[in-house]
Amino acid sequence: MIDRYTTEKMKKVWGEDKTFELWLKIEIAACVAWNKLGVISDIELDKIKKAKFDKDLYNKIFNETKHDMISFTRSISNSLGEEGRWIHHGLTSNDVKDTSLSIQIKESLEIIKDSLEILLVSLKKRSIEFKYSPCVGRSHGIHAEPMSFGLKIALWHEEIKRHIERVNQVINIASVGMISGPVGTHATVPIEIEETVCKELGLKPAPITNQIIQRDRHADVLQRLALIATSLEKFSTEIRSLQRTEINEVQEPFGEPGFVSTGSSSMPHKRNPELTERICGISRVIRSNSYAALENMPLWNERDISHSSAERIIIPDSFLAADYIINTFVKVISGMKVNEENMLKNLNLTGGLIFSEKIMLSLVEKGVQRKEAYETIQSASIESMDKGIDFKDVIKNNDMIKKNLNDLEVELLFDTEYFLKYVDQIFKRLELS
């Protein structure tokens, strides 16, 4: 399913043709480095630079050898003459494979970062749009106090900013190559070769390797993707919650071109939060992949290949899935319908109970002990809820309230704007103004 929806850019990075293209680039770069050391002649290098990869021949050789790197190097050498003997000189398979994988990871992280930047713009736009839109804040699923809907989205915006920082950090961690030969001793391939090749490829040489680049780097990458996915699931879960029939404060895009227009095969009225549900489901796959990446870290001695089969699935799939759900969430945020009328309706649903803390604090400010003030307002709240009486009416008839607050002061305590008075300062601190 993922393959149908992911961006073409990300799919290209992880395509088989791209992998072979990088392998050939690395092999030629290594020959260039050998030439600089005087091992390969200029004439031979000129011919090697024209080497071609024959996929059909590769497949034929692979059917016999069942070894991808042997099949690859032989298919290249077949396009050359005597100079073909220098292909893969001093290298081991993972010199090519792991260095290629690092390039693919680096390019993929750049795509992820670009997608997050687009999401950041969408979140900024919607947060400013609803900066002063009052809605009820909820904790434990229960009405708490008034807040701004723009603040809810601004919170997500700030979280995505942190993810962009994390992606930049892990690009630096993951962008390393290795050309160190069997078990990483450089005995068959001097350090200068590695430095030349990595510079050519835009990577840093890993300071030390065994026969592979250490898998903590890859696990780190997948942990960052898992964090991104989990944030998107968190945001999507909130949208799903607010789209429930009895709340109906937001709705993800529905019916517009490019979006689902049917919610149920049996109930024509259904407008299900299908996109955000999809994001939630896919994020769980990305998280499970990150666990497999941790399992790939402990290998036998200088290497085994127990990590290899898992990586061929979890790394490309995680990038494809992460990029897809980021871009899907961009569409959700950009096209999300916000029902401000229903937000106000829900804000007043409890008959003013959401102002209980403000009333309690006002009593404290008048000299009432906090415990006494709390118990008084709690008792009034229970009476309002249990008897279905408007909370303001209960408060106005309360003896302690009458003793400490006049009618005008009570009226001012039920002012939603009071809870939005610092919105501008918060937005300024977030650089969202």
Side-chain angles (χ1 to χ4, degrees), residues 252-268:
E252 68 175 41
F254 183 92
E256 292 90 349
F259 293 101
V260 64
S261 59
T262 302
S264 168
S265 63
S266 58
M267 295 168 282

Side-chain angles (χ1 to χ4, degrees), residues 268-299:
H269 71 279
K270 295 292 291 296
R271 294 179 66 168
N272 300 329
E274 190 265 344
L275 294 175
T276 45
E277 287 176 336
R278 192 188 306 167
I279 290 169
C280 291
I282 293 173
S283 73
R284 296 164 194 170
V285 175
I286 296 171
R287 282 198 298 276
S288 66
N289 285 350
S290 73
Y291 178 75
L294 293 173
E295 293 292 312
N296 281 343
M297 287 174 58
L299 304 176

Side-chain angles (χ1 to χ4, degrees), residues 163-186:
H163 286 309
I164 292 171
E165 291 174 9
R166 292 186 182 106
V167 170
N168 283 329
Q169 290 167 357
V170 85
I171 286 174
N172 184 56
I173 292 168
S175 298
V176 296
M178 61 169 271
I179 306 291
S180 56
V183 303
T185 64
H186 286 281

Side-chain angles (χ1 to χ4, degrees), residues 139-182:
S139 56
H140 305 277
I142 306 299
H143 285 203
E145 289 190 351
M147 65 177 292
S148 151
F149 186 65
L151 281 179
K152 188 187 293 283
I153 302 176
L155 187 80
W156 301 349
H157 178 275
E158 186 68 10
E159 193 159 334
I160 293 300
K161 279 177 64 178
R162 292 196 295 275
H163 286 309
I164 292 171
E165 291 174 9
R166 292 186 182 106
V167 170
N168 283 329
Q169 290 167 357
V170 85
I171 286 174
N172 184 56
I173 292 168
S175 298
V176 296
M178 61 169 271
I179 306 291
S180 56

Side-chain angles (χ1 to χ4, degrees), residues 332-349:
V332 169
I333 286 296
S334 299
M336 180 176 66
K337 294 181 179 178
V338 178
N339 189 341
E340 294 186 80
E341 184 178 331
N342 241 36
M343 283 183 177
L344 289 174
K345 178 183 174 184
N346 291 334
L347 195 64
N348 298 315
L349 193 64

Side-chain angles (χ1 to χ4, degrees), residues 90-95 178 180-189 208-212 214 300-303:
L91 278 58
T92 190
S93 295
N94 275 73
D95 286 329
M178 61 169 271
S180 56
V183 303
T185 64
H186 286 281
T188 60
V189 54
I208 184 172
T209 58
N210 44 30
Q211 203 159 324
I212 59 168
Q214 298 306 287
W300 285 13
N301 307 122
E302 278 54 66
R303 75 163 290 199

